[in-house]
């Protein structure tokens, strides 16, 4: 399965997914240091800069059509260490992830964030994914579950598409004819 890795950092998602047999076909990372690390370890994989500038049209033109979009979008809008401004925080980038999901319609979505997201913004994420035809499973995994010496809960969101990835596929609850622009029954 082909992966688009957003907010890539130094490639943690891709390292794990590639060990499971996935192929990273593109990264999107704005920080220059992280981009340098990605370039070193994945010299033949395209790296895009600002997620706000990245479009599905651009990716498709570059031959990149992912089966999976992954990303740990910025946590500052939800973190208890911050001001917890949610969607009012300029670093709230879930809408950009959602836009790319709409444009690319991958079969799978995997996201990660801080536990403060549960009380601030997670409902929006789940609702928008479900509206796009995904079955969504949110769950919390503490760092101590993988033998780290601290709890540090992380929210994981896994979504599986109820469509085949095509733009003609109906969204859940939408009549099939309406999704194809059918004029049957109209005069």
């Amino acid at each position: 399965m082909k992966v688009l890795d957003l907010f890539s950092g130094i490639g943690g998602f891709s390292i794990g997914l590639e060990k499971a047999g996935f192929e990273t076909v593109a990264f999107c990372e704005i920080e220059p240091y992280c981009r340098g690390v990605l370039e070193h370890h994945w010299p033949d994989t395209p790296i895009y800069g600002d997620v706000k500038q990245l479009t599905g049209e651009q990716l498709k033109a570059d031959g990149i059509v992912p089966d999976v979009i992954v990303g740990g979008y910025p946590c500052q809008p939800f973190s208890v260490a911050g001001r917890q401004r949610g969607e009012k925080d300029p670093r709230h980038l879930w809408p950009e992830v959602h836009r790319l999901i709409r444009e690319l319609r991958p079969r799978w979505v995997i996201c990660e964030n801080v536990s403060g997201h549960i009380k601030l913004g997670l409902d929006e994420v789940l609702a928008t994914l479900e509206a796009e035809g995904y079955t969504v499973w949110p769950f919390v995994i503490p760092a101590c579950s993988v033998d780290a010496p601290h709890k540090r809960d992380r929210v994981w969101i896994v979504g599986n598409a109820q469509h085949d990835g095509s733009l003609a596929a109906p969204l859940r609850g939408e009549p099939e004819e309406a999704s194809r622009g059918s004029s049957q029954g109209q005069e």
Side-chain angles (χ1 to χ4, degrees):
M1 293 182 68
K2 297 179 182 196
V3 176
L4 169 60
D5 188 337
L6 304 176
F7 315 103
S8 306
I10 60 171
F13 268 112
S14 288
I15 290 170
L17 289 171
E18 287 182 358
K19 286 183 179 195
F22 292 67
E23 174 192 4
T24 302
V25 293
F27 294 101
C28 185
E29 174 55 52
I30 199 166
E31 294 298 325
Y33 175 80
C34 294
R35 290 171 59 87
V37 172
L38 295 171
E39 288 170 2
H40 176 76
H41 292 287
W42 287 273
D44 299 323
T45 303
I47 304 170
Y48 298 90
D50 189 348
V51 72
K52 294 177 184 177
Q53 305 298 317
L54 185 61
T55 67
E57 184 177 320
Q58 177 185 12
L59 288 163
K60 289 175 189 174
D62 292 344
I64 297 167
V65 181
D67 302 300
V68 184
I69 291 180
V70 301
Y73 47 93
C75 66
Q76 293 90 340
F78 320 111
S79 176
V80 295
R83 295 186 176 143
Q84 296 184 301
R85 295 181 60 212
E87 65 186 34
K88 295 176 185 157
D89 190 311
R91 297 166 292 189
H92 178 55
L93 295 178
W94 166 252
E96 299 298 332
V97 178
H98 179 228
R99 176 184 54 78
L100 287 168
I101 291 168
R102 286 192 74 127
E103 293 173 5
L104 295 166
R105 298 181 64 83
R107 188 75 164 161
W108 291 91
V109 174
I110 305 169
C111 296
E112 172 273 337
N113 218 293
V114 296
S115 62
H117 196 14
I118 294 169
K119 294 181 181 176
L120 191 61
L122 183 60
D123 287 345
E124 172 196 357
V125 171
L126 302 178
T128 55
L129 285 171
E130 288 176 350
E132 294 298 328
Y134 288 84
T135 299
V136 185
W137 300 273
F139 50 98
V140 175
I141 299 178
C144 61
S145 71
V146 291
D147 296 327
H150 58 283
K151 187 173 178 192
R152 194 173 181 209
D153 287 339
R154 306 305 283 185
V155 176
W156 290 85
I157 303 157
V158 176
N160 178 248
Q162 298 300 306
H163 55 72
D164 64 3
S166 72
L167 292 176
L171 299 177
R172 185 183 321 164
E174 181 179 331
E176 193 169 329
E177 296 80 26
S179 70
R180 293 193 186 122
S182 173
S183 60
Q184 289 180 333
Q186 296 179 6
E187 294 184 29

